[in-house]
Every structure is written in C-alpha cells, then in structure tokens.
Amino acid sequence: MINKRIYLDNAASTPLDERVARHMMKILVETPGNPSSPHHEGQQARIIIEEARDAAAAMLGSESRDIFFTSGGTEANNSALMGMARAMQNHGRHIISTPVEHPSVRAALEALEKEGFSVEYLKPGADGNIAPASLNSLLRDDTILVSVMYVNNETGIIHPVREMAGMLAGHRALFHVDAVQAFGKLDFDVHSLPCDALSFSAHKIHGPKGIGGLFLRHGTPFRPRAVGGGQEANRRAGTENISGIAGLHKAIELCRERPEHRRQARRLQKHFEQGLREIYPRALILGEQTLRSPYISAIALPGIDNQSLLLNLDLQGVAVSVGSACSSGSIKPSHVIRAISEDETIVNSTIRVSYNRYQTIEDMDEALMRFKTVLNR
Ligand SMILES: Cc1ncc(COP(=O)(O)O)c(C=O)c1O
C-alpha cells in the first residue's frame, strides 16, 4: 500500500501554496466589481491589479507600466512573438531562436513562418548549452526578433541570455526571453538582462494555473492579439482575472526567500542525482557540464524505456515526467533531448525529475527507494 505520493514534476506545475489559495478565495468572494468601472467596487478591483503589477515589476526591476497580465506563459510567449514580429515586419522577416524552446514558442514561430517570416535556430553545443557567439553567425541586418528561453524546462540548462542581450545591443532585433522556469527562482532583472520582452507564469512558483504575464519594455513595437475593451493599456483586451492576478501577487511575495529556496532545491537535486547514480551507475545527468537550475534534473538511464519507467513509478506513487507537460500523454520523443543528443538511447531513456522548495531530503530518500524497486524489476 502506497500511503504518500511523491511529486517530482514541479517543472510542469507546482502545488498551490495554501496562503495563495486563501488569499485568492478572499478576493473571489469580496470583489464583485469590474476593474474598468469607475465606482468604488470597480476601483477596489483596479487596486488589486495595480498592486500585483507593482509586485511583478519590482521582481523584474521594471516599470509597472511595462507589465501586462496574460493567461500564463503560453499566451505571453504567443503574444510576444506574434505581436513583435508582426509590428516589425517592415524592417525584415528574419527571426532567430533555438530548437529547445517550449512548444508555445515553437508553435508561434511555425505560425509566423506560414505568414512569410523565416526562422533560423542556434544549435546547442556538446554540453547541451547554446554558445552566445553562435548568435553572431546567424544575426543579419534583416533580423527583427531573437527569442531564447532562460531556463530550459526539460533539462534545467541555463542559457546565456544576458550575454546574448549584450550582443544584441545596438542591433535593431528585438529580444524576447521565455523566463517561465526562471521567474521567482533565479535572481535577475531587466537591467542585468536587458531584453525587450520577458514571459512569466504563476503556477511554476506555487501560484495558480492560468495566470502569468509579459514584461514588454515601453516603446517596443507590438501588435496586440486580443482586441476589445482596451484593457492592459491596449495590449491584452478582456476583463482581468482578478483572483488569478491576486494569486500571482501572493506567489511573488512568497519568492522573497529565493536564495534559501534555491539552496534547498540544490540540496534535493544533489542528493537525488547522487542516490540515483548509486542505484543505477549508468545514469547520466544531461547538462552536467554547464550551468543548470537547481530545480530540474534530466537524467538518462540507458537501457531503460522512459515511458514505461514513468508509468511504473506512477504505480509506486512517484510522479516524474518525460518531456514537457504539454506533450506528456503522447509517446513522441522529446524534441529538446533530441536537439542536444543524437543518441537514441539517451532520447528514449531520459526522464525529468523536478523539485520544489517545500520538499525534503526524506522525500528524496523515499523516492529513491521506490526508484530502486522499479529499476530492479
Ligand atoms: C519554459 C516554459 N515556457 C512556457 C510555459 C507555458 O506556461 P503556461 O503553462 O503558464 O502556459 C512553460 C510551462 O510548461 C514552460 O516551462
């Protein structure tokens, strides 16, 4: 009998913090107004949004007016890429990205290709990371947009986006960073990482699903996708998701202790990786030779089929993943692992284990015991 499940799929989504849930419930019940209304109830709702905007801006070191809320990371990525590319098309139609982006970036780029934009991809090196210098080889006069994610959601690899931003200084191309796996976890701001647009999402930091936002530096050419009532300074129409925005605000507040959260995640990651190597000496940590987030491990277990491992671990009460959440359920091998390794053994045996700040070494030990049971079979 398995009495406690161990959730190691925090890169897909983190558990909602109870303090966030309680705060959201209060807002849901006590906020009848539409934030666009001029009366008291409307203005109460407006205040909730503007305070959350200030908190998101403080986290990113930006001006509050440069933040708008979306339904999450996917919409932020879609809006950024489509909104900026379409607004820039008179200057050129060349876009640069990487083959390891989240599906919400990949699909947006494919849609733009159908509109006549051309996209080229920076290839990861032997360590799985993208060398900043490779940007120079693809950058052209008609490049209008570069999009590179900060932390890869499948490997945890930290891309050199600061260096890339520096290289783009003085070039017309706009720079978008998908920071969904970095926001609230790593320390950065839009001064040390001078990008034009940056996406974030609440449910990776113990906030609610379905809310996130985009930092869009003022003056950046942009065509909104949702049009209507002119909300969010004409960047995203539609009555705002007040309780979600309040939940995001609370989740941001809870990230204040992020150096300690990171230390805990690193302890868990080290302990788990080392433990798994003892159980399965052929285990290979992807991205080990480069910078990695402490929250994610991509581990290849040559000789093991990752799909059946996932299912068997699930039966033992352990949740891990193969690829990103959006493609889980399908049996397609991960495009990310394939982009960093040509070895099919690696592609078909890699699992993702991802941690959260509230987990303990005891949780890792329990998970390792269950891994051992399954791997021995
Ligand atoms: C790197 C990255 N970008 C974008 C997203 C999409 O965010 P959301 O789930 O809020 O739409 C995710 C979530 O899986 C992600 O990991």
Side-chain angles (χ1 to χ4, degrees), residues 95-107 109-110 113 119-125 128-131 134-135 138 146-149 151-155 157 159-160 164 178 323-324 327 333-342:
I95 300 174
I96 298 173
S97 188
T98 84
V100 296
E101 298 298 312
H102 186 266
S104 57
V105 165
R106 283 161 63 83
L109 293 175
E110 283 163 18
E113 280 183 310
V119 185
E120 285 191 282
Y121 296 92
L122 302 164
K123 300 271 175 297
N129 211 334
I130 313 270
S134 63
L135 183 55
L138 293 190
V146 176
S147 179
V148 178
M149 75 203 309
V151 172
N152 184 272
N153 53 302
E154 292 193 32
T155 60
I157 288 175
H159 292 138
M164 290 179 176
D178 172 357
S324 75
S327 49
S334 155
H335 70 276
V336 173
I337 309 303
R338 186 153 270 165
I340 64 174
S341 173
E342 286 170 358

Side-chain angles (χ1 to χ4, degrees), residues 34 101 120 137 160 186 239 241 254 288 298 301:
N34 183 319
E101 298 298 312
E120 285 191 282
S137 61
L186 304 190
T239 301
N241 173 0
L254 298 177
E288 207 176 13
L301 301 163

Side-chain angles (χ1 to χ4, degrees), residues 72-74 77 102 104 149 153 178 180-181 201 203-204:
T74 296
N77 285 341
H102 186 266
S104 57
M149 75 203 309
N153 53 302
D178 172 357
V180 166
Q181 296 287 351
S201 180
H203 72 113
K204 312 292 185 180

